[in-house]
């Protein structure tokens, strides 16, 4: 495994742990390797409220900065409907459930067999 692949795996593990610690719901992990140049993985999760979505995003970026020195790009934290966190290797989307249902990102990125499992 290359150093970059190991970094992506470590970042992914930290993202998943952070979301789990903060009680994220319906967490889906999508392998982007070979599908997109935007990163190695995409993680999609839901929070129950705008406040929880914003809080999960803030804690995640703080934890990644402390653990790996990663300065993530963040969009949407102020409203808390849909927060995008770009760590470089892992792209994280945290939604309120109704916003997630509207955009259905999983269906765009998963093949039909994977999408059926995610429902």
């Amino acid at each position: 495994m290359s150093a970059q692949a190991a970094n992506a795996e470590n970042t992914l593990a930290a993202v998943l742990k952070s979301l789990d610690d903060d009680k994220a719901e319906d967490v889906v992990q999508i392998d982007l390797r070979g599908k997109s140049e935007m990163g190695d993985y995409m993680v999609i999760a839901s929070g129950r409220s705008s406040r929880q979505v914003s809080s999960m995003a803030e804690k995640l970026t703080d934890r990644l900065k402390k653990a790996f020195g990663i300065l993530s790009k963040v969009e949407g934290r102020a409203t808390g409907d849909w927060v995008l966190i770009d760590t470089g290797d892992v792209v994280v989307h945290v939604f309120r459930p109704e916003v997630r249902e509207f955009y259905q990102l999983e269906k765009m990125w998963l093949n039909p067999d994977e999408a059926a499992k995610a429902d």
Side-chain angles (χ1 to χ4, degrees):
M1 181 181 297
S2 71
Q4 202 222 318
N7 287 345
E9 298 287 330
N10 291 338
T11 303
L12 176 64
V15 165
L16 295 173
K17 180 174 182 344
S18 180
L19 292 171
D20 185 58
D21 288 350
D22 293 335
K23 311 286 188 262
E25 299 175 350
D26 303 320
V27 178
V28 175
Q29 165 189 329
I30 301 170
D31 189 338
L32 297 177
R33 294 171 296 181
K35 294 181 187 176
S36 173
E37 295 295 315
M38 82 168 90
D40 290 341
Y41 297 99
M42 180 182 296
V43 176
I44 303 171
S46 296
R48 291 179 302 283
S49 67
S50 297
R51 177 176 281 171
Q52 185 190 20
V53 167
S54 295
S55 175
M56 283 192 294
E58 187 169 339
K59 288 178 182 177
L60 173 60
T61 57
D62 289 347
R63 289 170 180 148
L64 291 174
K65 185 177 178 183
K66 284 181 185 152
F68 305 108
I70 295 172
L71 299 176
S72 304
K73 296 179 189 90
V74 181
E75 304 247 348
R77 188 168 34 205
T79 59
D81 289 332
W82 173 3
V83 182
L84 168 68
I85 302 129
D86 183 353
T87 72
D89 294 325
V90 181
V91 178
V92 184
H93 299 271
V94 186
F95 289 99
R96 280 189 311 105
E98 34 307 336
V99 178
R100 182 176 179 174
E101 179 61 30
F102 179 80
Y103 286 101
Q104 298 188 359
L105 279 186
E106 292 97 322
K107 290 194 174 30
M108 276 193 265
W109 287 98
L110 293 173
N111 68 43
D113 295 337
E114 293 170 319
K117 288 181 213 164
D119 281 342

